[in-house]
Amino acid sequence: MSAALPATPLGSVLLIEDQKAVATWARQTLIQQVGCRVDWAPTLAAARACLEAAPEPYFLAVADLNLPDADADGVLELLRTHKLPAIAVTGDFDKALRSKLLRQGLVDYVLKDSSHVYRYVASLVQRLWRNRSQSVLVVDDSPASRGLVASWLVRQGLRVHQAGDGQAALDCLSRDPAIRLVLTDRHMPGMDGFGLVKALRKLRGRDRLAIIGVSASEDQELSARFLKLGANDFLAKPFSYEELCARVHQNLDMLDSLDALRELASRDALTGLYNRRHFFAEGPVRLGTPPPPQEQHVALMLDVDHFKQVNDRRGHAAGDAVLRQMGSLLSQHFPDGLVARLGGEEFAVLLTGPLNDLYRRAELFREHFSQSEQHNPVDGQAFHCTVSVGASPCAGQDLDAWLRAADARLYEAKQGGRDRVVWGGA
Ligand code: GH3
Ligand code: MG
């Protein structure tokens, strides 16, 4: 379980656009909103040069289809040759162009009809980047329609599983618990779409798994029943590529937003460590998992020594810097632990391993913290702090009793002169 917020490195986008002002605007929006690298090519020749010189393949192209040295066919040909997924941004649009773009396997197209266009493109780029790590499941007994929907979703960069009936879908979900969205047809042999929605909802709520019901449009009762049984959304057959993408993206966006909210609610803003709430929600899960043979669960309670003096003598900002340093060292030393700031200058870590190992690691952490230089961000002065640690192996299934034992050892460490680890049971 990682203790600090994960960073997501983003890929590079090739922006093909001949008008400098538009390209500048598009580039800025992509960088600010998505955080990706953007290379700009004003002509087809420049785009070809970028593609040949790029140290790593581009993740996506955002391409204007009318360039001084090429028309739409030329641009599409280059993208196809380099197998580069692309979003077309175009001013002229008609039915023929739409079917040509979709036939050529473009990920999407956007109409250049407002100043918001690149904000929309940026949100699409962000979605497509996230899709690379998202699994979805298409459930339909017709291999032809299942295959078509699956191929459209693959074009969106998603990892796609397929199943021919409800039972096969449940088996697939147990093999890949990372599946985030299920698109299910109504009529199937064995367990049908309604049965599948019911079974899925017993496993996961609407905030963890999105379900889109699919069926023929004439029967309005079908959509109502899908939704009442717990589906998040409904698609009436026949649907277009664009309609499918919009629904799938909306549902995945909703799940991502909920994940981000959950993540925010479980973190301490100052240190980035988990907060007290998350610690007490996850602690019992750890406690309930028996340790491997020869290993034990151990709780560490840690408290910065004479921390009030740091605040009083050097100011609150210096105190905050110490707490941030504590957070960063704890994450470094205990990436396998449940690490949290319980409040103020009090931290806790739940670890699992051979006792001798954990004892050594706790000592090593204490030593590293005492030796590391703290910096006052206001006057730049360097100073040192120490930390006291109480460590207690787990004896039973009561998290509070376990933590009380570690806290009693922490008290002994303070009484014994601070800057030490005291180890022992209740
Ligand atoms: P001991 O060695 O016995 O642990 O003494 P101490 O001074 O560290 O402990 P005490 O409980 O007396 O003081 C803790 C101080 O931590 C008091 C409080 O103002 C300060 N504190 C709590 N939260 C924060 C914070 O977020 N930032 C800063 N800068 N100070 C904080
Ligand atoms: Mg203290």
Side-chain angles (χ1 to χ4, degrees), residues 59-344:
F59 143 64
L60 188 82
V62 174
D64 179 7
L65 297 178
N66 287 310
L67 298 175
D69 56 348
D71 59 7
D73 288 332
V75 179
L76 294 172
E77 171 66 27
L78 179 74
L79 296 170
R80 208 176 37 246
T81 312
H82 286 267
K83 297 192 173 63
L84 181 58
I87 300 170
V89 184
T90 173
D92 324 311
F93 188 75
D94 57 31
K95 222 169 158 181
L97 182 61
R98 171 183 178 265
S99 56
K100 180 194 275 187
L101 296 180
L102 296 183
R103 228 182 18 252
Q104 300 268 356
L106 244 76
V107 178
D108 213 334
Y109 60 86
V110 178
L111 308 186
K112 234 192 231 178
D113 59 355
S114 80
S115 58
H116 302 308
V117 62
Y118 284 102
R119 260 194 264 158
Y120 175 69
V121 169
S123 62
L124 202 50
V125 171
Q126 206 160 33
R127 179 70 264 153
L128 293 168
W129 178 259
R130 290 202 192 122
N131 280 357
R132 294 152 48 108
S133 56
Q134 308 252 323
S135 295
V136 300
L137 170 61
V138 183
V139 194
D140 195 321
D141 59 330
S142 150
S145 38
R146 196 172 73 217
L148 178 67
V149 171
S151 73
W152 283 354
L153 295 173
V154 166
R155 202 192 281 197
Q156 296 291 311
L158 290 157
R159 297 179 187 160
V160 184
H161 297 277
Q162 297 185 40
D165 62 59
Q167 190 52 52
L170 290 175
D171 294 344
C172 191
L173 197 81
S174 68
R175 282 195 303 276
D176 184 357
I179 290 172
R180 298 268 278 170
L181 180 140
V182 175
L183 263 148
T184 180
D185 193 28
R186 157 76 174 97
H187 294 288
M188 290 180 289
M191 187 190 287
D192 67 3
F194 292 160
L196 176 60
V197 176
K198 271 196 251 179
L200 288 173
R201 279 295 167 248
K202 281 193 190 139
L203 299 173
R204 277 196 250 160
R206 303 160 68 101
D207 58 333
R208 305 267 178 185
L209 176 79
I211 305 174
I212 304 180
V214 179
S215 210
S217 59
E218 309 87 66
D219 193 346
Q220 287 187 344
E221 195 227 331
L222 286 184
S223 58
R225 277 199 67 189
F226 260 125
L227 297 171
K228 298 281 179 208
L229 286 170
N232 299 63
D233 214 338
F234 180 81
L235 262 171
K237 275 181 181 172
F239 47 81
S240 66
Y241 173 75
E242 294 91 324
E243 204 178 347
L244 174 76
C245 296
R247 291 290 171 81
V248 166
H249 285 183
Q250 249 171 36
N251 279 281
L252 291 177
D253 282 348
M254 182 268 300
L255 292 182
D256 285 352
S257 304
L258 289 174
D259 280 356
L261 277 177
R262 265 194 290 268
E263 177 68 14
L264 267 177
S266 67
R267 295 283 173 181
D268 164 54
L270 181 69
T271 60
L273 295 179
Y274 285 125
N275 57 20
R276 185 181 190 88
R277 201 186 60 81
H278 183 83
F279 181 84
F280 282 98
E282 279 302 307
V285 179
R286 235 170 207 262
L287 191 61
T289 315
Q294 317 301 326
E295 296 193 10
Q296 288 203 46
H297 294 312
V298 166
L300 308 182
M301 292 291 269
L302 310 98
D303 186 290
V304 182
D305 297 328
H306 300 304
F307 185 61
K308 191 169 176 310
Q309 285 179 18
V310 177
N311 278 335
D312 292 348
R313 291 181 188 163
R314 302 175 186 275
H316 211 265
D320 281 359
V322 172
L323 297 177
R324 272 196 294 270
Q325 168 85 326
M326 177 86 170
S328 132
L329 288 184
L330 281 173
S331 308
Q332 248 178 59
H333 280 253
F334 306 113
D336 53 330
L338 174 61
V339 182
R341 181 183 179 204
L342 296 187

